[in-house]
C-alpha cells in the first residue's frame, strides 16, 4: 500500500548509542538517510575510527523504522478515505481508524512477545548444552553403502523427467510449509517492511557488525522523536568514549537479523561432511540428495515432515530473529536445537529487518536464487566496498587447468566405454559433443603451449579456432544437459568406485586421479567453465596462460566489465550504498559500475576524520638527503642509485620517529632488490642500528608471528621497522594503530604489470566502452608498445592509487591516533595524483622542495606530539 508522504531527513538519530555523535557522523547519517529516501546510489568514504559501521546501521535502521511508520499511516489514511461517507458519523470513522491502529499495535506486540519467548528458550538450551556431551550419530554400514551409489543404475545419467521430478523435491515439506506461511504473512506485513541487506567481504567482518547492532537504542526509533533542537557540544577529541552499551539501554528492542552463509559454514551433519571429504564431491549437491531421500536416509537435523508437532525449524527461526547473531552463534543455536541452521536462516529472511551475508551470496545470481533473496525495493549496503570491483571480476572468472581437462577427458572416455550399451541415444549424442569440445580445447592448449605465446580471444573466436568442428557445438545445450543429467556427480561417483575396487584388488587404477583442486572433481570444473562460455558477453575474453613454475597451462574465461554482474542488484534495489574506509578515487566506481546511472542519482560523500588536522602530517618527497631524485619507475628498476638514496631517507626518519615505521614497497621484487642493494652498500647496517628490521613474509601462515615479533620489539625497545608490499598481506585489513605505526612510508607508484594480457584487455575495454578520446599513452613491454587512451589511463591510475590509499590507511585507526604519512616519488607532487588521495589526507599534503625541509617538518611534528 503506497503513500505519497515523503520522509524529511532528521536532524538527529536517537538510536545512535553515543550522545552526542560527532558532527561528521551526523553528516554521514543524514547523507545516507536522504540517499535511501531519494532512491539513490551512494558511495561513501568514512575512515577507520570514525564509527562507520554504527553510522551505517543507525541511518539505515532509522529510515527503516520511519518507512514502517509511513506505511502504517498510509493504511490508516486509506481506511479513512474508504469510509469517508458524508452520511457516516465522525465518531464511527474515528472508532474504525482507532480499531485498525490497535490491531496493528497488537500484532506487533504479539510478534515481539514470541521473540521474547524464543530468547528464553535459547537461554535454556544453552544452559543444557553446556553440561551435555554431544554424541555422534553412528553410521549404519548398509546406509553408507546405499549412499555411496555403487550400483550401476546409480551411475547412469538422469533423464529430463527424473531431473525435473527431483528438482521439485529439493525443498523439503517442512520448509515448504514454513516458507509458504512466511510468504502469506509477507503479503500483508513485508510490503512495507523493507529489509537492509548488509554485505561485507568475509564472515569475520560481518561478525564485527553484530556487537554494533546490539548497541542501538531502537526503542526510540520512530519518526515522532526526530528532534530539531540544537545539538550539544561535541565531546573533546581527547576524551575516552564509553565502549559498552549503557545499562539503561539493555532492554532496547532487538533488531531482527538473519545471518546468511553457505552450507559449508552452517552444515552440522558431520557424517555427510566426512563422506564428502573422503569421496570428493559437492556438499550442496549431497545435501539436496538428502532432501529427496527416504525417511531412513534423511538428515537428522531436519524436522520430520510427517510429524505436525515437530516444530523445531520454526522455533530455531524465531531464535535467530530474537537477537542479533553471527555465523558462529547460528551454528551454536542450531546444534543446541539439533536443527539445521542453514534452512532456519533461510526461513528467517522474510521477517528479518537486516540480512547479513558475504559478497558472493549477494552478488552471484545463482546464490541469490538458491537462497530465495529478492532485492526488489530493499536497501543494499556493501561495506568494505573497496574490494567490490575485484570481487565482481573474480566472480566471472573461471580457470580450466590443462591437467584437469586431461583427467576429465580420460574419465569421460572410461565412463562412455563402460556404459555404452546402457546409454540412450540422446545421452550418447550429448556425450559425443562434450568429448569433442573438450578434446578440441585440449589440442588447442597443447598447440598454444608449445608456442609459448599468449593469446586473448573472444569466445566465438576461440570456438572457431580450436578446430574439430567445435564451432557448430551449442555450449548452451551442453550446459543444460550437464545440469539436468547430473553427469558430473555420476562420473565422480563411478570414477571413485572404479578406483576403490581396483585398489582393493591390488591392481593399477585405469582411471587417473584428479589433480584439480581438492574436493573439486574435474567435470565440475569443466561444467563451470562451460557455463561461463554459455553466458559470455562481448565483454568476455578467453585467455591462455603458458605452463610455468611447475604449473600446467590453463585456459581462463574472464569478464572485463564488472558492471553486468552488479547491474541486477542496482536495478532491483531501492537504494545501494557502497561504503569503505578508503574509497578514493571514487571515479573508479562511477565509471566501472554506474556509467548507466544519471548523475543526479549518484550521491557521493567523503567523510573527514575525527582526528584534528594537527594529528596528521603528509609529505610528498622527490629528493633524498644527497639531493638524488626519488623516482621509482619500471624503467629504472635496476638502477641502484634511487635505492641507496631511499635507504638514507629511511635512516633519517628512523632516527626522528618513535615507535613503528612501516614501509610499503611496490612489489616483492622491489623489496628484495632494496634489501640486496642496502646490504651491499652498508646502508642496511646503519638502518638496523636505529630500528630492528622485519620483512613481510612470503606465506600468510607466517604473518601472525612476524607481527607479534614486530609489536614486541616496539614495546621492549621503543621502535622497529617493517618492510611490506603494497597490495599484499599487510596492506589491508590490519590495524597499525598508535606506536605500531607512527610513520607509514609508500615508495613509488605501484602500477600493475602492463605485460599482463588481462590488464591490457581491461584498459582497451575501458577505452571502447567509455568512447574515450585524447592522446594515447604507451609503455614498453616485451612485445612492443601498449597503447591506450584517456579512459584506459584513468583506470590504470585509479587501480594504482586505490592500492596506495589502502596502504596509507593502516596508520590512523582511532580519534586519538597520530602519524606521519610519507609518499616517496616525484610523481606524488603532481596535482592529478594528489587529488586521488582521500580528502582528509590530501588536505594535509605538503611537498617540501628539499629533503632538509621534510626532516624539519617531521621533527617539529613529532616533537609536538611527544609534548
Amino acid at each position: 500500500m503506497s503513500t505519497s508522504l515523503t520522509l524529511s531527513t532528521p536532524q538527529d538519530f536517537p538510536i545512535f548509542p553515543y550522545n552526542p555523535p560527532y558532527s561528521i557522523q551526523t553528516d554521514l547519517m543524514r547523507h545516507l538517510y536522504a540517499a535511501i529516501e531519494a532512491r539513490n546510489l551512494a558511495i561513501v568514504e568514512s575512515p577507520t575510527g570514525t564509527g562507520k559501521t554504527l553510522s551505517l546501521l543507525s541511518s539505515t535502521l532509522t529510515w527503516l523504522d520511519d518507512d514502517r511508520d509511513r506505511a502504517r499511516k498510509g493504511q490508516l489514511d486509506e481506511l479513512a478515505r474508504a469510509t469517508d461517507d458524508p452520511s457516516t458519523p465522525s465518531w464511527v470513522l474515528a472508532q474504525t481508524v482507532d480499531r485498525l491502529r490497535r490491531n496493528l499495535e497488537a500484532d506487533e506486540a504479539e510478534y515481539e512477545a514470541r521473540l521474547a519467548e524464543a530468547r528464553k528458550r535459547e537461554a535454556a538450551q544453552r544452559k543444557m548444552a553446556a553440561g551435555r556431551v554431544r554424541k555422534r550419530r553412528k553410521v549404519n554400514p548398509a546406509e553408507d553403502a546405499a549412499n555411496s551409489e555403487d550400483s550401476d543404475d546409480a551411475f547412469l545419467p538422469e533423464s529430463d523427467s527424473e531431473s525435473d521430478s527431483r528438482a521439485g523435491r529439493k525443498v523439503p515439506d517442512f520448509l515448504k510449509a514454513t516458507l509458504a506461511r512466511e510468504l502469506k504473512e509477507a503479503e500483508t506485513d513485508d510490503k512495507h517492511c523493507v529489509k537492509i541487506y548488509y554485505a561485507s567481504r568475509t564472515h569475520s567482518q560481518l561478525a564485527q557488525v553484530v556487537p554494533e547492532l546490539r548497541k542501538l537504542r531502537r526503542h526510540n526509533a520512530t519518526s515522532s522523536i526526530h528532534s530539531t533542537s540544537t545539538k550539544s557540544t561535541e565531546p573533546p577529541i581527547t576524551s575516552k568514549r564509553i565502549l559498552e552499551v549503557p545499562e539503561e539501554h539493555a532492554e532496547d528492542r532487538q533488531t531482527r537479523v538473519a545471518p546468511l552463509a553457505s552450507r559449508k559454514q552452517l552444515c552440522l551433519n558431520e557424517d555427510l561432511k566426512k563422506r564428502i571429504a573422503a569421496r570428493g564431491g559437492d556438499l550442496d549437491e549431497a545435501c539436496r540428495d538428502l532432501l529427496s531421500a527416504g525417511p531412513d536416509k534423511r538428515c537428522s537435523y531436519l524436522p520430520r515432515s510427517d510429524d505436525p508437532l515437530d516444530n523445531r525449524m520454526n522455533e530455531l527461526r524465531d531464535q535467530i530473529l530474537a537477537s542479533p547473531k553471527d555465523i558462529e552463534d547460528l551454528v551454536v543455536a542450531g546444534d543446541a536445537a539439533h536443527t539445521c541452521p542453514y534452512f532456519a536462516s533461510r526461513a528467517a529472511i522474510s521477517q528479518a529487518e537486516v540480512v547479513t551475508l558475504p559478497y558472493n551470496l549477494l552478488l552471484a545470481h545463482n546464490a541469490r536464487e538458491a537462497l530465495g533473496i529478492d532485492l526488489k525495493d530493499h536497501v543494499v549496503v556493501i561495506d568494505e566496498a573497496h574490494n567490490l570491483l575485484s570481487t565482481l571480476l573474480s566472480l566471472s572468472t573461471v580457470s580450466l587447468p590443462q591437467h584437469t581437462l586431461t583427467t576429465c577427458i580420460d574419465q569421460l572416455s572410461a565412463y562412455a566405454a563402460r556404459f555404452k550399451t546402457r546409454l540412450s541415444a540422446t545421452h550418447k549424442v550429448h556425450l559425443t559433443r562434450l568429448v569433442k569440445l573438450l578434446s578440441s580445447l585440449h589440442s588447442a592448449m597443447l598447440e598454444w603451449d608449445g608456442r609459448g605465446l599468449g593469446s586473448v580471444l573472444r569466445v566465438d573466436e576461440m570456438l572457431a579456432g580450436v578446430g574439430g568442428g567445435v564451432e557448430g557445438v551449442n555450449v548452451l545445450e551442453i550446459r543444460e544437459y550437464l545440469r539436468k543429467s547430473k553427469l558430473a556427480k555420476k562420473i565422480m561417483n563411478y570414477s571413485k568406485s572404479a578406483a576403490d575396487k581396483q585398489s582393493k584388488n591390488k591392481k593399477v587404477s585405469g582411471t587417473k586421479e584428479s589433480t584439480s583442486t581438492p574436493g573439486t572433481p574435474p567435470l565440475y570444473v569443466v561444467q563451470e567453465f562451460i557455463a561461463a562460455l554459455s553466458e559470455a558477453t562481448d565483454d568476455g575474453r578467453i585467455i591462455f596462460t603458458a605452463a610455468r613454475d611447475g604449473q600446467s597451462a590453463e585456459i581462463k574465461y574472464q569478464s572485463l566489465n564488472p558492471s553486468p554482474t552488479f547491474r541486477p542488484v542496482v536495478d532491483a534495489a531501492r537504494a545501494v550504498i557502497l561504503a569503505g574506509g578508503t574509497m578514493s578515487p571514487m571515479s573508479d566506481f562511477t565509471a566501472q559500475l554506474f556509467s548507466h546511472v544519471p548523475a543526479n542519482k549518484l550521491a557521493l560523500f567523503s567523510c573527514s576524520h575525527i582526528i584534528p588536522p594537527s594529528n596528521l602530517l603528509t609529505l610528498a618527497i622527490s629528493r633524498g638527503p644527497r639531493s638524488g631524485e626519488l623516482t621509482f619507475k619500471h624503467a629504472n628498476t635496476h638502477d641502484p642509485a634511487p635505492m641507496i638514496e631511499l635507504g638514507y631517507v629511511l635512516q633519517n626518519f628512523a632516527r626522528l620517529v618513535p615507535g613503528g615505521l612501516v614501509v610499503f614497497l611496490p612489489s616483492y621484487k622491489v623489496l628484495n632488490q632494496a634489501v640486496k642493494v642496502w646490504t651491499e652498500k652498508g646502508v642496511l647496517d646503519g638502518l638496523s642500528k636505529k630500528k630492528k628490521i622485519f620483512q613481510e613474509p612470503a606465506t600468510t601462515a607466517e604473518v601472525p608471528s612476524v607481527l607479534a615479533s614486530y609489536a614486541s620489539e616496539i614495546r621492549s625497545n621503543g621502535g622497529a621497522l617493517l618492510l611490506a608490499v603494497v597490495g599484499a598481506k599487510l596492506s589491508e585489513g590490519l590495524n597499525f594503530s598508535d606506536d605500531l605505526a607512527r610513520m607509514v612510508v609508500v615508495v613509488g607508484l605501484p602500477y600493475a604489470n602492463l605485460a599482463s594480457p588481462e590488464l591490457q584487455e581491461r584498459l582497451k575495454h575501458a577505452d571502447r566502452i567509455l568512447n574515450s578520446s585524447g592522446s594515447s599513452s604507451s609503455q614498453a613491454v616485451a612485445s612492443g608498445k601498449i597503447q591506450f587512451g584517456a579512459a584506459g589511463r584513468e583506470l590504470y591510475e585509479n587501480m594504482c592509487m586505490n592500492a596506495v590509499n589502502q596502504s596509507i590507511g593502516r596508520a590512523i585507526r582511532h580519534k586519538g591516533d597520530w602519524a606521519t604519512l610519507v609518499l616517496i616519488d616525484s610523481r606524488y607532487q603532481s596535482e592529478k595524483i594528489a587529488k586521488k588521495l582521500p580528502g582528509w589526507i590530501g588536505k594535509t599534503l605538503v611537498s617540501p622542495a628539499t629533503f632538509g625541509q621534510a626532516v624539519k617538518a617531521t621533527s617539529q611534528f613529532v616533537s609536538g606530539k611527544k609534548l
Side-chain angles (χ1 to χ4, degrees):
M1 194 178 303
S2 62
T3 175
S4 60
L5 176 65
T6 300
L7 298 175
S8 59
T9 304
Q11 293 297 315
D12 297 311
F13 293 81
I15 75 172
F16 192 83
Y18 307 117
N19 188 29
Y22 295 116
S23 62
I24 58 174
Q25 293 169 332
T26 301
D27 291 344
L28 175 57
M29 289 188 284
R30 298 190 77 243
H31 177 86
L32 292 172
Y33 187 105
I36 297 171
E37 178 62 14
R39 298 177 176 270
N40 286 342
L41 301 172
I43 306 176
V44 299
E45 181 177 62
S46 179
T48 300
T50 56
K52 167 172 62 72
T53 303
L54 271 178
S55 297
L56 286 169
L57 295 173
S58 296
S59 56
T60 54
L61 286 170
T62 295
W63 180 88
L64 192 70
D65 290 332
D66 291 354
D67 184 61
R68 184 180 294 113
D69 288 343
R70 168 170 55 185
R72 290 173 181 167
K73 184 178 186 303
Q75 286 181 284
L76 295 173
D77 290 348
E78 188 166 318
L79 176 63
R81 286 193 297 271
T83 55
D84 189 14
D85 186 337
S87 62
T88 303
S90 59
W91 63 270
V92 174
L93 175 60
Q95 281 193 352
T96 303
V97 173
D98 189 53
R99 188 183 309 114
L100 175 60
R101 180 183 294 108
R102 289 199 305 272
N103 288 341
L104 292 172
E105 292 172 352
D107 289 343
E108 182 172 346
E110 181 182 354
Y111 188 71
E112 289 298 327
R114 195 172 90 193
L115 296 185
E117 286 300 314
R119 284 192 284 272
K120 293 179 182 178
R121 187 166 57 249
E122 182 180 12
Q125 286 177 348
R126 286 177 179 268
K127 187 175 181 180
M128 291 177 61
R132 183 178 70 227
V133 177
R134 180 182 171 189
K135 294 183 179 180
R136 291 193 59 187
R137 183 172 67 90
K138 292 183 178 180
V139 180
N140 184 329
E143 177 185 337
D144 192 48
N147 286 335
S148 68
E149 299 191 21
D150 276 345
S151 66
D152 282 356
D153 288 344
F155 298 138
L156 294 175
E158 293 183 10
S159 66
D160 289 350
S161 59
E162 288 171 339
S163 177
D164 293 341
S165 175
R166 289 200 178 192
R169 298 200 302 270
K170 283 178 184 175
V171 179
D173 293 338
F174 72 85
L175 190 58
K176 284 182 179 178
T178 298
L179 294 177
R181 181 166 55 255
E182 295 294 344
L183 289 173
K184 186 174 181 180
E185 293 176 5
E187 290 178 1
T188 55
D189 279 349
D190 284 2
K191 281 185 179 179
H192 310 296
C193 184
V194 181
K195 302 179 195 312
I196 309 299
Y197 284 91
Y198 195 107
S200 193
R201 188 164 59 95
T202 64
H203 287 298
S204 60
Q205 290 170 337
L206 290 170
Q208 297 170 20
V209 175
V210 173
E212 306 299 277
L213 277 165
R214 291 172 179 158
K215 294 177 184 177
L216 301 180
R217 302 182 292 179
R218 291 195 68 201
H219 68 298
N220 288 329
T222 60
S223 58
S224 61
I225 48 78
H226 289 328
S227 173
T228 57
S229 60
T230 305
K231 295 192 292 291
S232 304
T233 305
E234 292 182 28
I237 291 296
T238 56
S239 68
K240 181 74 174 178
R241 244 174 158 173
I242 300 173
L243 296 180
E244 297 180 356
V245 183
E247 205 171 295
E248 61 267 26
H249 303 308
E251 296 302 319
D252 287 349
R253 179 165 73 83
Q254 298 288 329
T255 302
R256 301 196 300 272
V257 181
L260 300 184
S262 66
R263 285 178 173 90
K264 183 178 180 180
Q265 277 84 29
L266 296 178
C267 180
L268 300 175
N269 192 327
E270 296 297 332
D271 296 326
L272 178 63
K273 290 190 288 187
K274 182 178 179 181
R275 188 159 59 243
I276 291 295
R279 301 180 60 86
D282 183 69
L283 181 62
D284 290 321
E285 188 85 21
C287 177
R288 293 188 193 103
D289 287 342
L290 286 183
L291 296 181
S292 58
D296 58 326
K297 298 179 184 177
R298 61 185 289 278
C299 177
S300 65
Y301 291 92
L302 298 180
R304 292 176 54 185
S305 57
D306 59 345
D307 184 356
L309 298 179
D310 195 347
N311 201 33
R312 288 180 293 157
M313 189 62 65
N314 292 335
E315 291 180 352
L316 180 57
R317 175 205 61 196
D318 289 347
Q319 284 178 211
I320 291 172
L321 295 171
S323 61
K325 293 176 175 61
D326 60 25
I327 298 304
E328 290 186 7
D329 297 329
L330 197 55
V331 170
V332 170
D335 192 31
H338 200 81
T339 305
C340 177
Y342 174 78
F343 285 110
S345 62
R346 284 179 59 180
I349 293 175
S350 65
Q351 289 299 319
E353 297 171 304
V354 176
V355 179
T356 62
L357 68 172
Y359 281 178
N360 59 318
L361 296 185
L362 173 72
L363 301 176
H365 172 75
N366 291 341
R368 294 197 302 272
E369 197 174 60
L371 290 167
I373 293 175
D374 181 5
L375 299 177
K376 184 172 175 56
D377 292 330
H378 297 297
V379 178
V380 173
V381 177
I382 299 181
D383 201 359
E384 302 299 331
H386 62 273
N387 292 300
L388 181 60
L389 294 173
S390 59
T391 301
L392 288 167
L393 290 172
S394 68
L395 284 173
S396 59
T397 299
V398 182
S399 296
L400 178 58
Q402 181 181 328
H403 62 73
T404 300
L405 184 57
T406 302
T407 303
C408 185
I409 294 172
D410 289 343
Q411 289 185 350
L412 278 168
S413 300
Y415 178 85
R418 171 65 180 82
F419 296 101
K420 63 182 179 181
T421 60
R422 302 193 59 185
L423 293 172
S424 68
T426 301
H427 287 306
K428 287 180 180 178
V429 169
H430 284 301
L431 277 172
T432 300
R433 289 173 177 170
L434 177 60
V435 171
K436 179 188 288 187
L437 172 62
L438 300 186
S439 297
S440 297
L441 284 175
H442 186 259
S443 298
M445 289 181 73
L446 290 175
E447 180 184 352
W448 173 83
D449 195 32
R451 295 197 305 268
L453 300 173
S455 293
V456 179
L457 304 169
R458 295 194 307 272
V459 173
D460 58 338
E461 292 174 334
M462 184 271 292
L463 292 176
V466 296
V470 172
E471 65 274 11
V473 173
N474 188 325
V475 290
L476 184 58
E477 285 185 4
I478 293 179
R479 173 193 176 183
E480 285 303 297
Y481 172 70
L482 289 172
R483 183 183 67 82
K484 292 181 178 180
S485 68
K486 299 185 183 294
L487 187 64
K489 175 190 170 188
K490 304 295 183 177
I491 289 182
M492 175 197 72
N493 288 338
Y494 169 71
S495 299
K496 179 66 176 175
S497 175
D500 288 346
K501 288 177 180 178
Q502 291 175 351
S503 177
K504 288 177 183 178
N505 295 330
K506 298 182 180 180
K507 293 181 179 179
V508 178
S509 174
T511 304
K512 294 183 180 180
E513 283 191 31
S514 169
T515 54
S516 60
T517 305
T520 306
L523 191 51
Y524 279 99
V525 180
V526 169
Q527 184 171 337
E528 187 179 4
F529 183 75
I530 290 175
L533 295 184
S534 68
E535 297 174 350
T537 65
D538 291 339
D539 300 323
R541 292 293 182 273
I542 297 294
I543 301 167
F544 290 100
T545 305
R548 64 183 185 278
D549 301 330
Q551 300 292 321
S552 72
E554 71 174 14
I555 182 172
K556 178 193 295 183
Y557 172 81
Q558 177 174 316
S559 175
L560 306 173
N561 186 0
S563 180
T565 303
F566 195 58
R567 185 160 183 172
V569 175
V570 174
D571 291 345
R574 175 193 178 97
V576 176
I577 298 167
L578 307 186
T582 305
M583 298 293 288
S584 299
M586 291 186 183
S587 60
D588 213 17
F589 294 91
T590 57
Q592 294 193 62
L593 293 182
F594 305 131
S595 59
H596 63 287
V597 177
N600 64 344
K601 299 304 291 182
L602 291 174
L604 310 183
F605 183 91
S606 183
C607 183
S608 297
H609 211 294
I610 56 177
I611 64 166
S614 59
N615 277 24
L616 179 67
L617 173 66
T618 307
L619 300 172
I621 299 177
S622 61
R623 297 274 175 184
R626 302 188 305 177
S627 298
E629 184 178 356
L630 296 170
T631 302
F632 298 88
K633 293 183 177 180
H634 180 78
N636 62 357
T637 300
H638 300 290
D639 183 0
M643 285 298 177
I644 296 172
E645 196 77 11
L646 173 63
Y648 291 130
V649 168
L650 296 179
Q651 282 188 9
N652 278 271
F653 284 138
R655 175 175 52 85
L656 291 172
V657 178
L661 197 166
V662 183
V663 182
F664 286 100
L665 293 111
S667 66
Y668 282 104
K669 180 180 178 181
V670 175
L671 188 154
N672 294 332
Q673 184 188 3
V675 172
K676 179 183 177 182
V677 171
W678 294 340
T679 302
E680 292 172 351
K681 302 299 181 180
V683 178
L684 195 65
D685 287 339
L687 193 55
S688 300
K689 290 177 182 178
K690 296 177 173 59
K691 291 184 186 290
K692 185 175 179 178
I693 298 175
F694 297 84
Q695 290 188 45
E696 178 164 325
T699 63
T700 303
E702 298 174 273
V703 169
S705 62
V706 171
L707 290 178
S709 299
Y710 171 73
S712 176
E713 176 68 18
I714 292 173
R715 288 193 300 269
S716 303
N717 299 313
L721 188 149
L722 178 61
L723 298 175
V725 175
V726 174
K729 306 169 192 67
L730 304 181
S731 63
E732 67 173 271
L734 294 176
N735 295 339
F736 290 103
S737 59
D738 300 319
D739 282 345
L740 292 180
R742 288 308 183 191
M743 175 176 280
V744 172
V745 177
V746 178
V747 179
L749 286 164
Y751 284 107
N753 182 9
L754 265 179
S756 163
E758 295 98 321
L759 178 59
Q760 292 177 28
E761 288 299 315
R762 281 198 67 195
L763 300 181
K764 293 175 185 175
H765 177 269
D767 286 331
R768 285 194 302 270
I769 293 299
L770 299 180
N771 296 318
S772 62
S773 59
S775 60
S776 64
S777 174
S778 65
Q779 178 165 338
V781 295
S783 59
K785 295 285 184 178
I786 305 301
Q787 302 286 336
F788 50 94
R793 290 201 310 274
E794 182 74 6
L795 172 58
Y796 189 48
E797 205 167 76
N798 286 347
M799 292 169 63
C800 169
M801 290 307 297
N802 183 269
V804 169
N805 292 338
Q806 288 302 314
S807 297
I808 60 180
R810 299 307 94 209
I812 304 293
R813 310 305 287 179
H814 60 83
K815 64 183 180 298
D817 210 351
W818 61 269
T820 302
L821 306 180
V822 182
L823 307 173
I824 301 182
D825 197 295
S826 59
R827 290 169 291 179
Y828 282 114
Q829 295 188 345
S830 73
E831 184 179 356
K832 185 178 181 182
I833 294 294
K835 283 183 176 180
K836 294 182 185 293
L837 294 169
W840 65 280
I841 292 177
K843 287 189 296 187
T844 71
L845 181 65
V846 178
S847 299
T850 66
F851 183 72
Q853 293 177 358
V855 169
K856 181 179 179 181
T858 303
S859 178
Q860 292 175 343
F861 175 77
V862 171
S863 297
K865 294 303 140 190
K866 286 181 178 178
L867 292 175

